[in-house]
Amino acid sequence: MPSVIDPVTGLQLIELSNTWGYNTPMFPGFDDMKFERISRHGSHGVMTQRFTCVFHASTHVNAPLHLVPGGAGVGKIPMDRFFGTGVVLNIPKGKWGLVTDSDLANAKPAIKANDIVIIVTGWHAKYSDSKEYFGYAPGLSKSAAQWLVKKKVKSVGIDTADIDHPLATSLAQHRNGPLVKYLVPEYRKATGRDPKKDHPEWRIAHRTLLQAGIPTIEGVGGDVGEILGKRCTLQGFPWNWRDGDACYVRLVAMFDPSGALRLESGRRK
């Protein structure tokens, strides 16, 4: 979908979310989404739908509660974590690549404290129900997550299905894995290395960020390729679900090319 330009103010809105609904690609191990129409136009004069799903699919935010016992749910995270100035970083990575602290330190535009950071590896172009999208994706290294915590960013998004490397999840040999049987043998054959030694800690990027109170946004997509290497205003609010471990978001980038647009004060005229 092309960017939307307000005809009065010139404000540009750019979609950074993947599609959601029937046939949404689901992380291996999760049940498929289920939808039903409980009333229809032809028989009831109105259409109403009901759905059942997990919230870890498409473009979604993870709250600290997801991996931190007693951590904040999505509805308890301050709203300013989901709105504000941010950077969209072009950090291309291939199969099983790692985003490192050096990648972040050298990225342009430079990351500042209180930024919303969106990391684009190029994997958004592969969004699909496929081995490649889920099993071969790059991920954030422990050092990169620690670097972002020290930088005191507000939130961190990435254009992969999981912010962690696939070999650091239950898709491979961690927790109840391997959920995907091909992954470990293929990694060993392709690299000649032991994946458990290369990725010894389970979901370390996730845990590092969430333990520091930094929400993570996974499945960034849409037209994110149009704004690589730019600083912009970003917003992606979850539901006011106090005990939610995760929630879908509509992630949007906003630009004011003229620099003239200002928010209303809210004062009575």
Side-chain angles (χ1 to χ4, degrees):
M1 179 183 295
S3 60
V4 174
I5 301 177
D6 183 83
V8 177
T9 64
L11 182 70
Q12 296 180 12
L13 304 177
I14 298 178
E15 178 70 73
L16 304 185
S17 306
N18 280 317
T19 56
W20 181 91
Y22 185 68
N23 280 341
T24 293
M26 300 299 293
F27 200 80
F30 290 148
D31 290 336
D32 205 4
M33 290 185 179
K34 299 177 177 65
F35 293 84
E36 61 178 321
R37 291 181 298 169
I38 59 176
S39 62
R40 299 175 299 280
H41 288 294
S43 54
H44 304 92
V46 63
M47 201 259 279
T48 310
Q49 299 181 76
R50 175 166 54 204
F51 67 89
T52 303
C53 66
V54 299
F55 283 80
H56 298 273
S58 188
T59 309
H60 65 281
V61 63
N62 297 300
L65 181 61
H66 177 42
L67 289 174
V68 181
V74 291
K76 294 181 181 178
I77 299 172
M79 287 190 292
D80 66 347
R81 292 273 185 176
F82 307 109
F83 178 87
T85 299
V87 289
V88 180
L89 305 178
N90 185 23
I91 305 178
K93 293 291 175 179
K95 182 178 180 180
W96 292 325
L98 267 180
V99 177
T100 67
D101 52 343
S102 294
D103 289 325
L104 297 174
N106 295 321
K108 302 296 181 184
I111 299 171
K112 301 177 182 180
N114 293 316
D115 270 346
I116 297 173
V117 178
I118 304 297
I119 300 166
V120 182
T121 67
W123 228 249
H124 63 284
K126 303 177 188 295
Y127 180 63
S128 62
D129 177 25
S130 66
K131 290 172 61 174
E132 184 177 33
Y133 182 68
F134 291 106
Y136 299 157
L140 202 65
S141 69
K142 180 179 182 178
S143 65
Q146 291 172 330
W147 190 93
L148 290 163
V149 171
K150 290 179 182 177
K151 202 69 176 179
K152 297 182 179 179
V153 302
K154 291 206 295 190
S155 56
V156 178
I158 195 166
D159 66 337
T160 57
D162 196 304
I163 206 163
D164 274 286
H165 194 281
L167 276 300
T169 73
S170 57
L171 295 187
Q173 294 164 295
H174 291 279
R175 289 297 173 106
N176 298 318
L179 293 176
V180 177
K181 305 301 181 185
Y182 66 82
L183 193 53
V184 170
E186 285 194 19
Y187 186 84
R188 284 183 173 142
K189 182 177 180 180
T191 66
R193 300 193 301 267
D194 181 351
K196 200 67 178 288
K197 289 183 178 179
D198 286 354
H199 303 278
E201 298 180 89
W202 174 71
R203 292 194 176 277
I204 188 59
H206 251 119
R207 291 190 290 118
T208 299
L209 292 165
L210 295 180
Q211 285 170 355
I214 299 172
T216 59
I217 303 171
E218 296 169 321
V220 175
D223 298 314
V224 70
E226 295 182 7
I227 59 170
L228 299 179
K230 292 184 181 290
R231 179 168 285 277
C232 56
T233 299
L234 294 157
Q235 78 87 21
F237 291 103
W239 301 351
N240 189 14
W241 182 17
R242 292 179 61 81
D243 299 314
D245 60 297
C247 188
Y248 299 112
V249 296
R250 184 78 180 266
L251 187 63
V252 176
M254 293 178 280
F255 291 95
D256 174 20
S258 70
L261 183 63
R262 297 291 182 270
L263 295 176
E264 294 290 343
S265 67
R267 296 174 183 170
R268 295 180 183 274
K269 300 295 186 183

